[in-house]
Amino acid sequence: MPTTLAEWEAVLTAFRDEDPNGNGKKDEIPYLFSIADMDFNHLFVGAWGIASDFYNDGGTVKYGPIEPPFKDFLATMAKWYKEGLIDQDYATTDGKLKDAKVTNNQLGALSTYPGSGISRYTSLTKTSTPSFQLVGAPYPGLKAGDKVMGQYTMPFTGIGAAITTSAQHPEEIVKWLDYKYGEAGHMLFNFGIEGESYTMDNGYPKYTDLIMNNPDKLPVTQAMAKYFLASFNGPIVQDKRYIEQYFTMPEQREAQQAWSQADHSKEMPLVTLTADESSKTSSIMNDVKTYRDEMINKFIMGTEPIDNFDKFVDTIKGMGIDEAIKVRQAALDRFNQRQ
């Protein structure tokens, strides 16, 4: 199991060269890179102590892509891409292609979720490849023993609900939203329909085989999604008894345990921008993100030399990133004052 970037490089090289799927062809894809995954869980970039977006460095807001270590991250990913350790078509790989690469016994490593990834891909692949197994790797550091940045979800994610001024029945909508936080609504949106998707076992809501061993062979995640919201997002309180049953596989529980050991101290809390702050910086960040994503791909794929990193930083600064940092610093200061 790799724990450092050097060990990851060795593992990915073995995936590339040693024919682990045993078909006599050099068709393995060592690692499927994704900008979205990088943003979500700081994978690999977190080894340098930075994020790919805004992060909280001891009370000071910083934007990772303009920090010097981001150049080292890009150089490493570009090296891996040039050496065939990263999927050469990662930028055009959508959900269906990703599924195909995993289930076709080609992909060595990817970033995914415990439920919709580990559980789903295992159930989809076991029939054709009985030995298939996914194991959650710890967040890698630059050297052994490093505790690096990793994904952390705040108790409140910012995903809620609002009623527009054009709503024709606001009172009914409020009642519906309020229902989700009462006992009946809590059970419905976490467990579904009693006697169908769950039964009570000594006071414990236990999912039925309709969820856990779906007769239509649906993965647990998809079976759950037909009956309740707990496995994704919404204006509800997620019940811990849902997650206790969701992670049925030891691989899921072990992955969750490994990932929880990451450093979360630099994670930005859910700060709130004022209307004025939001209007000032929303267009800035839309332009910055579009440019950032385009240039990350160019740097990694080698169409833009790493030596142009300083120009990349200057361009982002010219787009107004300092103003966006200033706004988030003010929001972070307000957040900390409320503690």
Side-chain angles (χ1 to χ4, degrees):
M1 176 63 72
T3 61
T4 66
L5 290 182
E7 290 172 355
W8 262 94
E9 187 169 320
V11 167
L12 296 179
T13 301
F15 283 151
R16 182 194 66 191
D17 296 341
E18 297 182 18
D19 191 26
N21 66 15
N23 66 357
K25 301 176 183 178
K26 199 169 183 178
D27 59 352
E28 288 81 3
I29 302 169
Y31 170 59
L32 178 58
F33 177 81
S34 165
I35 290 178
D37 290 336
M38 173 193 69
D39 284 345
F40 177 69
N41 58 24
H42 318 304
L43 185 58
F44 295 121
V45 68
W48 280 272
I50 62 172
S52 57
D53 206 318
F54 296 103
Y55 65 100
N56 174 15
D57 190 4
T60 300
V61 175
K62 295 182 178 179
Y63 185 65
I66 63 173
E67 295 295 317
F70 199 74
K71 180 179 181 180
D72 297 327
F73 160 72
L74 291 173
T76 299
M77 294 300 104
K79 176 177 181 290
W80 288 4
Y81 184 86
K82 183 178 181 180
E83 294 177 356
L85 305 184
I86 291 177
D87 183 4
Q88 302 295 286
D89 300 318
Y90 79 83
T92 57
T93 296
D94 59 13
K96 288 185 178 180
L97 279 174
K98 180 178 180 180
D99 287 354
K101 289 172 181 179
V102 176
T103 58
N104 196 37
N105 204 16
Q106 281 185 288
L107 195 60
L110 76 160
S111 173
T112 192
Y113 296 92
S116 58
I118 293 177
S119 175
R120 177 170 170 270
Y121 283 133
T122 300
S123 64
L124 289 174
T125 311
K126 275 288 188 181
T127 301
S128 59
T129 310
S131 61
F132 181 87
Q133 185 180 19
L134 287 170
V135 180
Y139 288 99
L142 296 180
K143 61 181 187 300
D146 282 354
K147 191 170 184 179
V148 302
M149 288 186 69
Q151 183 267 335
Y152 178 77
T153 300
M154 299 292 171
F156 176 60
T157 62
I159 298 176
I163 302 173
T164 68
T165 56
S166 62
Q168 295 182 12
H169 305 284
E171 291 184 7
E172 285 77 1
I173 296 172
V174 169
K175 289 178 182 178
W176 175 72
L177 290 171
D178 186 60
Y179 173 76
K180 297 184 178 189
Y181 295 94
E183 179 62 25
H186 180 80
M187 295 300 294
L188 176 62
F189 288 98
N190 277 281
F191 302 102
I193 302 171
E194 185 172 4
E196 189 170 348
S197 58
Y198 79 97
T199 57
M200 295 304 293
D201 184 1
N202 292 322
Y204 190 98
K206 189 174 181 180
Y207 294 125
T208 65
D209 281 347
L210 186 65
I211 303 298
M212 305 308 294
N213 295 288
N214 186 265
D216 295 325
K217 306 300 182 184
L218 291 177
V220 172
T221 304
Q222 293 180 18
M224 285 182 166
K226 293 183 69 174
Y227 284 87
F228 45 84
L229 284 175
S231 62
F232 41 108
N233 288 302
I236 65 170
V237 176
Q238 196 179 59
D239 196 302
K240 71 174 185 178
R241 294 171 296 183
Y242 138 76
I243 204 71
E244 288 171 352
Q245 298 175 79
Y246 188 27
F247 290 171
T248 59
M249 301 168 59
E251 294 96 321
Q252 291 173 294
R253 295 189 290 271
E254 289 163 7
Q256 192 79 344
Q257 185 63 33
W259 298 337
S260 69
Q261 303 305 309
D263 178 17
H264 305 130
S265 63
K266 293 184 178 180
E267 197 76 30
M268 278 289 287
L270 191 67
V271 297
T272 305
L273 305 186
T274 66
D276 183 55
E277 289 170 340
S278 182
S279 64
K280 279 183 178 178
T281 61
S282 60
S283 61
I284 291 174
M285 290 315 302
N286 284 338
D287 291 343
V288 166
K289 188 179 185 308
T290 299
Y291 176 71
R292 183 208 66 163
D293 290 358
E294 175 188 341
M295 292 303 295
I296 285 175
N297 286 334
K298 286 185 175 181
F299 281 129
I300 291 177
M301 294 178 179
T303 58
E304 187 79 23
I306 296 294
D307 289 343
N308 285 348
F309 178 77
D310 289 344
K311 293 181 181 178
F312 164 75
V313 172
D314 290 341
T315 300
I316 291 180
K317 287 185 175 181
M319 291 177 167
I321 192 64
D322 288 338
E323 177 64 23
I325 293 173
K326 181 181 177 181
V327 161
R328 280 155 181 79
Q329 183 67 59
L332 178 62
D333 292 342
R334 292 194 298 268
F335 179 89
N336 289 333
Q337 289 168 8
R338 292 196 297 265
Q339 300 302 301

